[in-house]
Amino acid sequence: MIYYHIIKTYPPYSHVPHASLDAREPKVAESTHMFETGHGDCGTQSMLFAAFCRSLGIPPARALGGYQMIMSETPGGHFWSEYYLPGYGWVPNDLTVAEAADWVVIPEEKRTAFKEYYATNLDSARLVIQKNVDAPMDPALPDDAVFFRLVKQYPAIASDTADYDIDLYSMGCFGISLTAVE
């Protein structure tokens, strides 16, 4: 029900001003931004799903991030979500990919089947980089560390010893590619 509520209530996909959310005082959670404004990308959609689950007493819910390759030769950064059912395990869903069914002209029964599939399944073209965007840093960051908490849809680099912006310095230097194995 949460999955369908978000798809119906918060369309369409939109980019989020991640940097401005982190710069404000008080800081704004990405799920709160989407809840209040209705605007969200795959990260905020997934975080909102996890927040709704937790608010209803389904605490094992999380937003995952990594790479996805659907209908493309180049993997792209992406987020999706999961919730945990005791005795069954983690149940994945992908609000953003499901929403993509509304971006193309297809028969309604195919649109419905596509959305139903992504309510409890994922395609196999994914590589998980992080299993929870709400997870605390371990070890914890020192209080005096300068850290930009931006949700990144690519693997990030964090350093409390660099005297330059290591993330900007390394931008474009790291990537992922897929090779077919026979």
Side-chain angles (χ1 to χ4, degrees):
M1 290 173 62
I2 296 168
Y3 170 85
Y4 288 108
H5 171 75
I6 292 173
I7 289 173
K8 290 177 184 172
T9 308
Y10 296 94
Y13 178 96
S14 58
H15 291 285
V16 175
H18 299 284
S20 69
L21 296 178
D22 196 60
R24 296 183 201 167
E25 286 295 337
K27 304 212 180 293
V28 177
E30 302 226 5
S31 56
T32 301
H33 171 78
M34 183 157 184
F35 180 73
E36 292 176 349
T37 67
H39 299 289
D41 58 16
C42 59
T44 53
Q45 289 171 335
S46 299
M47 285 180 260
L48 182 62
F49 177 87
F52 278 175
C53 286
R54 293 170 183 161
S55 74
L56 295 172
I58 309 170
R62 61 190 182 188
L64 290 82
Y67 287 97
Q68 174 196 39
M69 188 173 82
I70 292 182
M71 300 179 288
S72 173
E73 294 179 8
T74 305
H78 187 55
F79 281 89
W80 56 96
S81 46
E82 296 179 331
Y83 58 96
Y84 188 81
L85 294 178
Y88 182 81
W90 288 100
V91 179
N93 64 65
D94 193 326
L95 298 143
T96 308
V97 170
E99 183 185 319
D102 293 331
W103 303 345
V104 294
V105 178
I106 57 174
E108 193 57 36
E109 60 274 5
K110 286 189 176 187
R111 183 184 327 280
T112 299
F114 190 83
K115 289 181 179 183
E116 286 176 2
Y117 177 83
Y118 281 100
T120 57
N121 297 280
L122 295 177
D123 52 87
S124 60
R126 295 177 190 243
L127 172 64
V128 175
I129 300 294
Q130 62 190 60
K131 288 195 174 180
N132 194 347
V133 298
D134 297 329
M137 297 294 284
D138 186 21
L141 292 172
D143 290 337
D144 62 345
V146 176
F147 192 74
F148 190 51
R149 297 179 308 128
L150 177 65
V151 172
K152 299 188 72 79
Q153 295 185 13
Y154 299 97
I157 297 171
S159 173
D160 60 354
T161 59
D163 59 356
Y164 53 89
D165 188 335
I166 195 166
D167 203 30
L168 287 176
Y169 181 77
S170 63
M171 193 175 294
C173 296
F174 302 98
I176 184 170
S177 61
L178 301 177
T179 304
V181 177
E182 294 180 17

